Amino acid sequence: MNMGTHIWQLVSRERRRTLAAAVGVAIAAALMMSVVLFGSASGTTVTRRALAAQPVDAQAILAPGADGAAAAAIINADPAVRATQPFDLVHFDTASLAKAGAATQTSAGVIVGVDAGFQASTGLFNLSAGTVVPGQIAVSRDLATNLGLTPGDSVTFSLPGGQRMDLLVSGIVDTSGADLILGPVDAAHRAVAANPPVNVAVTDGPTLANL
């Protein structure tokens, strides 16, 4: 009797046991294959998922007088860079509001100047109320709360050097996720996890340039 005949007799005699064994092997193989496919699919998307909640992951700080357009071209030439968006900021010493016989004042903060497509590209400074109007500002929720601001109010900013600037409030923005932009640029301060300012105003680039 050859081996093939012997195996066939065993299979024919123990059909139920043979069927159970075949089903068990198939289930084990399918489970192993599903694990392999899941690992492969996860590996191809893990980086995208990790960065999904971090729209801005780096910034380039330009020296005074540097050509912003030339710097942007160099940065965009890097294949690892998806997009770039210019911004600038000015620190203020105090912000104050006077209306209806009452006056309020808050501590230091920053005014950020961004281009029109900044919010759509980065997901930062999205409006919570009001609108975006060139020449006016949208303020953070903290600044609005500290001064009791509503759209239509005029805020007086005291800038370093003694200059003062009045700007109308057009809206309120959410500053969640903007720590990288609002935080200190000095490496020594970043190392100790300095808190970014909470009193924030956002405006367009040309308006900021005039401050």
Side-chain angles (χ1 to χ4, degrees), residues 126-133 136-139 150-152 169-173:
N126 291 312
L127 277 172
S128 299
T131 59
V132 173
V133 179
Q136 299 183 20
I137 56 171
V139 299
T150 57
V169 176
S170 65
I172 299 174
V173 294

Side-chain angles (χ1 to χ4, degrees), residues 133-137 166-168 170 203-204 206-207:
V133 179
Q136 299 183 20
I137 56 171
D166 295 331
L167 291 170
L168 286 175
S170 65
T203 187
D204 56 283
T207 299

Side-chain angles (χ1 to χ4, degrees), residues 5 12 81 101 106-107 120 145 157 161 168 181 190-191 197:
T5 303
S12 300
V81 174
T106 189
S107 58
T145 300
F157 293 98
L168 286 175
I181 290 175
R190 284 187 182 274

Side-chain angles (χ1 to χ4, degrees), residues 90-93 158-163:
V90 170
H91 291 266
F92 60 82
D93 296 327
S158 297
L159 306 176
Q163 182 183 358

Side-chain angles (χ1 to χ4, degrees), residues 14-165:
E14 300 290 346
R15 293 183 179 181
R16 292 183 178 180
R17 182 179 298 176
T18 300
L19 179 60
V23 171
V25 171
I27 292 174
L31 179 62
M32 182 175 296
M33 182 60 67
S34 66
V35 171
V36 171
L37 292 176
F38 175 78
S40 177
S42 298
T44 60
T45 59
V46 64
T47 301
R48 185 171 64 252
R49 294 199 309 270
L51 295 177
Q54 189 175 3
V56 177
D57 59 1
Q59 64 173 310
I61 303 169
L62 304 185
D67 187 339
I74 294 173
I75 296 171
N76 281 319
D78 189 329
V81 174
R82 185 176 64 180
T84 60
Q85 281 289 339
F87 75 94
D88 200 357
L89 55 84
V90 170
H91 291 266
F92 60 82
D93 296 327
T94 62
S96 58
L97 169 70
K99 66 176 182 179
T104 54
Q105 180 172 296
T106 189
S107 58
V110 295
I111 306 174
V112 185
V114 299
D115 287 347
F118 189 89
Q119 287 89 348
S121 178
T122 64
L124 301 178
F125 304 131
N126 291 312
L127 277 172
S128 299
T131 59
V132 173
V133 179
Q136 299 183 20
I137 56 171
V139 299
S140 65
R141 294 172 179 171
D142 289 294
L143 182 54
T145 300
N146 291 339
L147 290 180
L149 293 172
T150 57
D153 289 336
S154 178
V155 182
T156 300
F157 293 98
S158 297
L159 306 176
Q163 182 183 358
R164 297 170 68 86
M165 176 67 70

